[in-house]
Amino acid sequence: MGTAPLRGDTPQTQQATTQAGSGGLTATEHRLGNGLRVILSEDHLTPVAAVCLWYDVGSRHEVAGRTGLAHLFEHLMFQGSGQVTGNGHFELVQGAGGSLNGTTSFERTNYFETMPAHQLELALWLEADRMGSLLDALDLQSLDNQRDVVKNERRQRYDNVPYGTAFEKLTAMAYPDSHPYHHTPIGSMADLDAASLEDCQNFFRTYYAPNNAVLAVVGDIDPEQTLAWVEKYFGSIPAHDGKQPPRDGSLPEAMGAEQRTVVEEEVPSRALMSAYRLPEDGTREADAADLALTVLGGGESSRLYNRLIRRDRSAVAAGFGMLRLAGAPSLGWLDVKASAGVEVPAIEAAVDEELARFAEEGPTPEEMERAQAQVEREWLDRLATVGGRADELCRYAVLFGDPQLALTAVSRLLSVTPQEVRDVARARLRPDNRASLVYEPTAKTAPDAEQTDVEDLAQEEAQGDVQEEGAAQ
């Protein structure tokens, strides 16, 4: 295992305090002399530790003609570094009994490992080695290798599967040309082909610097020893000051007019997919919108499921989920697959009727209680695992400046009122604030379609499933 010399600077430290509503969870924040933010959270229930590293770079930082670089680097980071060749990162982590992966989104790129606690030092050394020395191993051969992997991923996940490009089409409709969120992280084939080795080297120098990253370590750790390892391996990596701030992603609250595109493809059934412009993440209004969509389309107890599937039998799948975004309006994602012989206008009329009724009446007390319990359970499931907690601590540090907000998110959601839920539905879930795709099959296909998890659509866009692909190289 390689080492880096200790720096003379003492890390700046903030002491842990138990936040109200945090369930007793605590986290401390530290900062190295090179700007790397470090968050530590002890959890001695199981002998495991999670390492999560967020870089403040996603597709919103890319420029026209060079889309897809953030996602391409998610793959290149597993292709070898100064002291770890080829698939060595996978081999070392998995050989030590750990798991790992990386994902890319509009707003960030993250890398994470969950290790047996006694193997924590290995994970920290591996992450530091590729942060500090990836360019030592990056050459045209490795670039071309991973460029082909990403292009194949695009074919398999987007271009050659039913409804595969819906997310790409709808985001391009919801965010205007030149908007930083107009293109999705997967990038275009043409831009992937155009990326040069110099482009990639400059991209790495700009964004993969310690002062553009947050490292969270959660689990069965000794904070003093962990911080010493972090300083030892990351402390000598130089900062880089060439990053430009992301372009402004703000937009009016409503689109102003409905946008609609009819897509004729070989899909299993007719479908209606719509994106609604919602409040930015990190706001109370975004929490209210999340609860509204849970009542309307979050599972088999939701209003749209009861109306379209149970009552009308006009659909075989119906869901309404939220893609939370911090630097631009979030998106409410409606996804309905039609039953055989049912036309989309009939489904759309029923959806509009339900949304209008909800905007007028708001949620019932029972619906509000059920939605809050559902969202609370999802949050607690995330915070209950060391990996999930590390990821959320990084998210709130990178996107909102304060990792402690992750520990009190549940209490904020539970404080939202029915009136706030009704207000956001009335303001945002309107026909003049949506972009819609209407899918019409071009050939005779199966009469039914599997349900698409509307939240998974965004997750699939963000995740390159690097572990599977990297191991196959």
Side-chain angles (χ1 to χ4, degrees):
M1 178 177 294
T3 62
L6 283 165
R7 292 173 58 93
D9 299 334
T10 301
Q12 301 173 11
T13 302
Q14 296 177 2
Q15 296 299 317
T17 56
T18 301
Q19 302 284 319
S22 68
L25 301 176
T26 62
T28 59
E29 184 174 357
H30 318 263
R31 191 181 293 269
L32 302 192
N34 58 12
L36 178 67
R37 297 174 68 184
V38 184
I39 304 162
L40 305 179
S41 179
E42 291 183 77
D43 182 345
H44 300 289
L45 289 178
T46 55
V48 296
V51 173
C52 185
L53 187 60
W54 272 47
Y55 290 93
D56 187 11
V57 58
S59 58
R60 67 170 173 165
H61 297 87
E62 297 165 350
V63 298
R66 291 298 180 268
T67 65
L69 282 179
H71 179 231
L72 177 60
F73 254 99
E74 175 203 321
H75 290 256
L76 288 171
M77 286 281 276
F78 290 94
Q79 185 70 4
S81 52
Q83 300 180 76
V84 182
T85 60
N87 279 329
H89 196 107
F90 287 102
E91 293 164 0
L92 288 168
V93 171
Q94 293 171 339
S99 61
L100 71 163
N101 214 326
T103 71
T104 310
S105 76
F106 289 99
E107 300 182 320
R108 59 95 184 108
T109 307
N110 68 346
Y111 303 90
F112 46 92
E113 297 90 5
T114 299
M115 306 286 283
H118 68 281
Q119 296 286 1
L120 171 60
E121 185 181 7
L122 171 63
L124 293 171
W125 174 74
L126 285 167
E127 288 293 355
D129 190 60
R130 59 183 177 181
M131 177 190 283
S133 68
L134 185 89
L135 292 186
D136 294 345
L138 180 60
D139 56 21
L140 188 57
Q141 181 180 357
S142 59
L143 171 59
D144 287 342
N145 177 291
Q146 292 307 304
R147 190 200 322 261
D148 288 342
V149 169
V150 173
K151 289 167 66 176
N152 192 50
E153 177 188 333
R154 180 181 173 92
R155 296 183 190 100
Q156 291 181 338
R157 291 176 177 261
Y158 306 95
D159 296 337
N160 297 330
V161 295
Y163 317 108
T165 58
F167 184 77
E168 192 172 46
K169 287 183 171 72
L170 275 179
T171 53
M173 294 167 67
Y175 303 111
D177 288 341
S178 77
H179 189 273
Y181 293 68
H182 179 73
H183 72 276
T184 55
I186 192 65
S188 72
M189 288 290 198
D191 287 357
L192 288 169
D193 284 332
S196 68
L197 181 60
E198 183 180 6
D199 290 332
C200 294
Q201 290 169 334
N202 290 335
F203 192 88
F204 182 86
R205 292 189 188 99
T206 300
Y207 295 107
Y208 280 77
N211 54 317
N212 195 47
V214 173
L215 172 69
V217 186
V218 177
D220 188 16
I221 64 173
D222 177 333
E224 185 176 346
Q225 176 63 79
T226 301
L227 190 59
W229 283 332
V230 171
E231 179 68 26
K232 178 180 182 180
Y233 298 124
F234 289 88
S236 62
I237 302 172
H240 184 81
D241 297 325
K243 177 186 173 183
Q244 297 297 314
R247 291 170 290 150
D248 182 19
S250 60
L251 289 170
E253 287 189 357
M255 296 182 194
E258 182 179 18
Q259 302 181 56
R260 175 183 295 268
T261 299
V262 177
V263 182
E264 295 185 356
E265 289 183 0
E266 292 187 13
V267 292
S269 69
R270 294 187 177 96
L272 171 66
M273 297 187 189
S274 299
Y276 293 77
R277 193 176 290 175
L278 297 179
E280 294 181 4
D281 195 16
T283 63
R284 192 172 177 89
E285 293 79 11
D287 289 341
D290 199 350
L291 291 169
L293 300 194
T294 301
V295 172
L296 287 164
E300 296 183 6
S301 63
S302 66
R303 290 197 181 193
L304 292 178
Y305 191 96
N306 282 321
R307 171 67 185 271
L308 299 173
I309 297 176
R310 286 202 174 100
R311 192 188 107 179
D312 296 353
R313 298 188 177 183
S314 59
V316 295
F320 212 172
M322 183 174 179
L323 172 59
R324 287 178 174 258
L325 297 169
S330 302
L331 288 182
W333 192 281
L334 174 72
D335 183 354
V336 183
K337 304 297 193 313
S339 299
V342 176
E343 302 283 343
V344 169
I347 289 175
E348 195 165 26
V351 168
D352 284 344
E353 183 180 319
E354 291 299 322
L355 296 188
R357 184 164 65 90
F358 186 77
E360 180 64 28
E361 301 171 358
T364 66
E366 294 78 10
E367 287 175 327
M368 190 71 181
E369 181 180 5
R370 187 165 57 244
Q372 286 182 314
Q374 183 174 331
V375 175
E376 179 184 22
R377 187 199 70 239
E378 293 167 356
W379 259 101
L380 294 178
D381 285 347
R382 286 283 289 161
L383 296 179
T385 68
V386 292
R389 197 181 319 156
D391 193 57
E392 292 300 337
L393 289 168
C394 281
R395 182 167 83 92
Y396 278 92
V398 170
L399 299 181
F400 308 110
D402 185 2
Q404 302 293 341
L405 292 172
L407 306 181
T408 55
V410 171
S411 61
R412 292 193 298 276
L413 277 162
L414 295 180
S415 70
V416 174
T417 67
Q419 181 66 45
E420 289 174 299
V421 172
R422 188 184 74 167
D423 288 346
V424 76
R426 181 178 295 176
R428 302 300 187 106
L429 301 182
R430 311 192 318 250
D432 65 347
N433 185 37
R434 71 181 174 209
S436 294
L437 296 178
V438 176
Y439 277 88
E440 291 288 343
T442 58
K444 184 177 181 180
T445 52
D448 296 331
E450 292 184 3
Q451 181 169 353
T452 301
D453 188 322
V454 291
E455 294 179 355
D456 281 351
L457 283 169
Q459 289 297 317
E460 288 178 9
E461 175 65 26
Q463 294 177 6
D465 204 2
V466 177
Q467 183 168 355
E468 219 171 85
E469 292 159 356
Q473 297 307 306

